[in-house]
Amino acid sequence: MIAVNQIISWHDEFEGRVDRILWISEEQNALYAIDITKKKGLPVFYHVTDVSNAIETGKATWVDNDPWSLHFFEEELSPAQRDVRDKAWSIIVELTGMENEPAIFIKKQRGAMIRKVAEKHNLREYYIYRHLFRYWQRGLNKNALIPDYVFSGGKGRNREPGERKRGRPRKSMQFSEGINLTSQLREIICRSIKEFYLQSGKMSLPQAYQSMLKKYFSEDIEIDNGAVKVTLVEEEKRPSFTQFYQIYRKEFDESDAVKAREGEKEFLRNNRAITGDSTAEAFGPGEKFQFDATIADIYLVSRLKREHIIGRPVIYGVIDVFSRMVVGVYVGLEGPSWLGAMMALANVVQDKPKFCQEYGIAIEDEQWPCRHLPSALLADRGEMLQGDLEPLLDSLRIRGENTPAYRGDLKGIIERLFKTIQDEFRPTTPGAVQRDFQERGAQDYRLNAKLDIYQFTKIILAVIIEHNNMKVLPRYIRDQQMIAEDVKPIPIELWNWGVKNRSGSLRWIDEEIVKLNLMPRDNAVVTARGILFKKMHYSCEIALKNRWFEKARQKGTWKIEVSYDPRIMSPIYIRSENGREYEVCRLLDKDLRFQGMSLSEVEDLLSYENTMTSDLKKEGLYSGVQVRALIDQVVEEAITKTNNVTQNGLQTKKKRLKGIRSNRKEEREIIRQKEAFVLEDASRPSIEKTEVKVESAKKEAGNVPSHLISYLLNQQKERGDS
């Protein structure tokens, strides 16, 4: 069927002619059409049968895509385009009515009509012809009269300038008029951009422009007293920075510039097109979880000493890709590190109502029904390597996936969750990081810190519960089955629907087993003194039952693999090969001083003791040297005195060895008198009485040596018995 406004392309003797049908008679036997390819095309008469036969025989074909079809919305038109269109339409509208057809298509009658309109509006006939033919050729609608401003100005073509300076004149007369950009100058600018800007050295555009002037537009470079001086050519002979920047914007693609300067990874992370959808990676709940950590934009205080600011906490999150349900969270001061990751992953299988109750939040199990492990876990490459996450996940039958280095954008769901959480608490929470901190007069937000980590965790849990149960996901793409069943794009709705219809990936496992498999592992040594691990000794039931320590003493030590929590080293665990059973090892009595300590505290204590022992050894060495010197001095003095007496007295060996027992008794009496307790009393006797008593004792004793009595008298005088 032939209709008005259809386009026909001819392939016979009219080769190259493309006609738009303007009118068809009521009898469907005649039509008028106009060639849309000619600037001054005129309406042409055709018999309908001729057109139909040409179509049937292949001498002509219908054109499906109208080359003059315009896709402008009214608000996209500029005021100038709208004014020109409306003015032209107001003039030709009376010529386009059906009452004028087909007379308007016949040359003589058309001429009379146009002269009448020209006289009415006081316009030239050419103006009316131009707009009427434009209306016919470009689609028989009002927008066919929109001016072709898009083709004005030679856009995209470089033309050699003339003598006159092109472009906007400079405002200040103190500057030169400037220079036109010739093809030679364009080549220099492009070469300079490639050489100085599109490199990994991160030179800015102004710096690249300066480097270009130095290399291509300098007359002389000299060194004066060690300072480099560059003389540039006159301003009217060198391009301006504006011209340099225009060439960059016109000739170079921004994506290629980012790749050249920042690298492919940076481009893919921050500048690539976002056309994918993470939901396509998961068929149902538990197919894949995303894991990540971020430093919260808030400063906290200590729970024990609230005047102490303890810095910014770290938020760890785990989210289900299919439903956007937050399935695990941890807020702490660890890291970002493996310890924090371990806590968040353990929280994935934790009883959520019981967990929330610890923070004073009461929820039903239906509000957070997530206690399951996924089939796959997507995390950063660093998080996978740190703590050897992949081997640990093998025991839980979880497939570990990691993003390439510096490609956190591939975990867009969890990244978006962190932004949502931060946006919730930042505006009204004291201590939150403020963007105007560096401005003059701005208050230091760190001094506003009021919340402790317990209170902040409570806020985060409230935000997550609200997200899981009420958050509408406007960009979530529901499939046909979800649309048919009217599944709302809310995480809890998507989770429940997915569990009911696509629950093949979720797996329940005991919380204790998950914690055991998430703990770091290392080698311990079975010795005769116990299981030695990190310089601490442990024992367990299986070791005592199988007499490990006796065997170690008889046959030598051997290694075993243990799991441990670095935050408390009191117990360690021996895992079974299947990763689902374990033996608890506890500290022996001799190492109970480490009870309740973390690994870092144990290491600090041992390091302190080693340092203290080393210092004591140094002090002991010095003291020992001093004692050795004193001994040598005393020995030397004794040798000298004894040799003087024995050699001068000419005593023989036999005489010296005779009377050792009596000599010992005599020396003992002297020592006893010296060490005897004598109380200092006011009623003690005078020296004269003492001497009389001594003399009397001498007479009574008869056999007391005279030198002993002299010694005793001297001792009494020294004690003040005079």
Side-chain angles (χ1 to χ4, degrees), residues 132-183:
L132 181 61
F133 286 6
R134 187 187 187 96
Y135 169 79
W136 286 338
Q137 288 180 315
R138 298 194 176 189
L140 303 176
N141 62 73
K142 182 178 179 180
N143 280 349
L145 304 175
I146 295 175
D148 295 331
Y149 290 160
V150 68
F151 302 114
S152 302
K155 184 177 181 180
R157 297 196 301 257
N158 293 327
R159 294 178 291 183
E160 286 297 317
E163 295 294 330
R164 185 177 179 182
K165 175 66 174 68
R166 298 189 303 188
R168 174 179 57 83
R170 298 185 177 180
K171 294 181 179 181
S172 178
M173 298 303 295
Q174 65 180 357
F175 299 109
S176 65
E177 186 180 21
I179 184 174
N180 284 320
L181 288 180
T182 63
S183 57

Side-chain angles (χ1 to χ4, degrees), residues 417-478:
L417 172 68
F418 286 147
K419 184 178 186 304
T420 300
I421 292 175
Q422 304 260 39
D423 290 344
E424 284 290 336
F425 72 77
R426 188 187 296 116
T428 58
T429 307
V433 175
Q434 302 298 327
R435 304 306 179 193
D436 63 348
F437 172 58
Q438 299 296 337
E439 295 182 7
R440 186 174 182 180
Q443 186 177 4
D444 191 339
Y445 52 79
R446 294 172 295 184
L447 298 176
N448 294 329
K450 298 293 187 295
L451 275 67
D452 58 40
I453 195 165
Y454 175 88
Q455 295 164 333
F456 181 68
T457 303
K458 187 174 183 178
I459 291 176
I460 298 301
L461 289 178
V463 173
I464 288 176
I465 293 170
E466 192 273 339
H467 166 88
N468 286 344
N469 292 273
M470 302 300 297
K471 178 68 174 179
V472 178
L473 308 173
R475 296 182 181 179
Y476 189 91
I477 301 176
R478 298 180 298 166

Side-chain angles (χ1 to χ4, degrees), residues 656-672:
R656 289 196 64 196
L657 295 174
K658 184 180 179 181
I660 291 179
R661 182 174 294 179
S662 61
N663 293 339
R664 177 184 179 86
K665 182 178 180 182
E666 181 180 332
E667 188 71 16
R668 184 171 63 237
E669 290 298 329
I670 295 174
I671 294 174
R672 285 178 176 177

Side-chain angles (χ1 to χ4, degrees), residues 445-661:
Y445 52 79
R446 294 172 295 184
L447 298 176
N448 294 329
K450 298 293 187 295
L451 275 67
D452 58 40
I453 195 165
Y454 175 88
Q455 295 164 333
F456 181 68
T457 303
K458 187 174 183 178
I459 291 176
I460 298 301
L461 289 178
V463 173
I464 288 176
I465 293 170
E466 192 273 339
H467 166 88
N468 286 344
N469 292 273
M470 302 300 297
K471 178 68 174 179
V472 178
L473 308 173
R475 296 182 181 179
Y476 189 91
I477 301 176
R478 298 180 298 166
D479 59 23
Q480 293 181 354
Q481 186 180 359
M482 293 181 185
I483 296 173
E485 298 185 22
D486 194 25
V487 180
K488 299 180 179 62
I490 298 174
I492 188 66
E493 298 282 344
L494 297 169
W495 174 274
N496 292 335
W497 182 88
V499 168
K500 180 180 179 181
N501 295 275
R502 301 176 181 178
S503 59
S505 301
L506 291 174
R507 293 181 296 109
W508 182 90
I509 192 169
D510 186 80
E511 183 179 339
E512 295 293 326
I513 300 300
V514 173
K515 291 180 179 179
L516 177 66
N517 283 272
L518 290 175
M519 288 182 189
R521 288 178 281 179
D522 204 347
N523 288 327
V525 180
V526 179
T527 71
R529 296 177 176 271
I531 300 173
L532 180 62
F533 183 66
K534 304 294 184 183
K535 299 184 179 181
M536 294 175 285
H537 296 84
Y538 298 83
S539 180
C540 61
E541 185 176 344
I542 190 174
L544 297 174
K545 181 179 179 180
N546 295 327
R547 299 182 178 276
W548 283 3
F549 308 141
E550 290 87 341
K551 293 178 182 179
R553 187 172 186 181
Q554 297 166 8
K555 300 180 180 180
T557 62
W558 70 90
K559 292 182 179 180
I560 59 172
E561 188 177 64
V562 298
S563 297
Y564 66 98
D565 187 339
R567 293 165 300 182
I568 181 167
M569 297 298 294
S570 302
I572 60 175
Y573 309 91
I574 302 175
R575 293 160 22 100
S576 63
E577 293 183 359
N578 62 15
R580 296 178 178 275
E581 298 174 359
Y582 59 93
E583 184 78 19
V584 181
C585 302
R586 304 191 183 280
L587 286 169
L588 292 176
D589 291 345
K590 58 184 176 182
D591 282 337
L592 284 180
R593 60 192 179 123
F594 300 116
Q595 186 75 27
M597 288 189 180
S598 66
L599 178 58
S600 60
E601 290 173 332
V602 171
E603 292 174 344
D604 289 343
L605 176 58
L606 292 175
S607 175
Y608 169 75
E609 289 182 343
N610 290 336
T611 302
M612 180 181 64
T613 302
S614 178
D615 293 341
L616 290 176
K617 286 182 179 180
K618 292 179 181 179
E619 295 176 1
L621 178 62
Y622 176 78
S623 177
V625 171
Q626 302 303 317
V627 171
R628 178 51 53 191
L630 177 63
I631 291 173
D632 292 342
Q633 180 184 0
V634 172
V635 169
E636 183 179 353
E637 181 181 353
I639 292 173
T640 302
K641 289 183 177 181
T642 304
N643 287 341
N644 291 337
V645 173
T646 56
Q647 292 177 3
N648 294 336
L650 300 177
Q651 294 180 341
T652 63
K653 295 180 180 179
K654 184 177 180 180
K655 187 176 181 179
R656 289 196 64 196
L657 295 174
K658 184 180 179 181
I660 291 179
R661 182 174 294 179

Side-chain angles (χ1 to χ4, degrees), residues 283-326:
F283 178 73
E287 181 77 17
K288 181 183 291 186
F289 288 173
Q290 287 186 4
F291 167 78
D292 203 1
T294 188
I295 300 175
D297 291 339
I298 189 173
Y299 278 78
L300 304 180
V301 298
S302 170
R303 291 192 72 184
L304 300 178
K305 298 181 178 180
R306 302 195 71 88
E307 69 274 13
H308 290 181
I309 299 174
I310 61 174
R312 297 164 65 178
V314 181
I315 305 174
Y316 296 81
V318 187
I319 194 169
D320 176 53
V321 171
F322 174 80
S323 64
R324 307 298 198 268
M325 191 82 164
V326 180

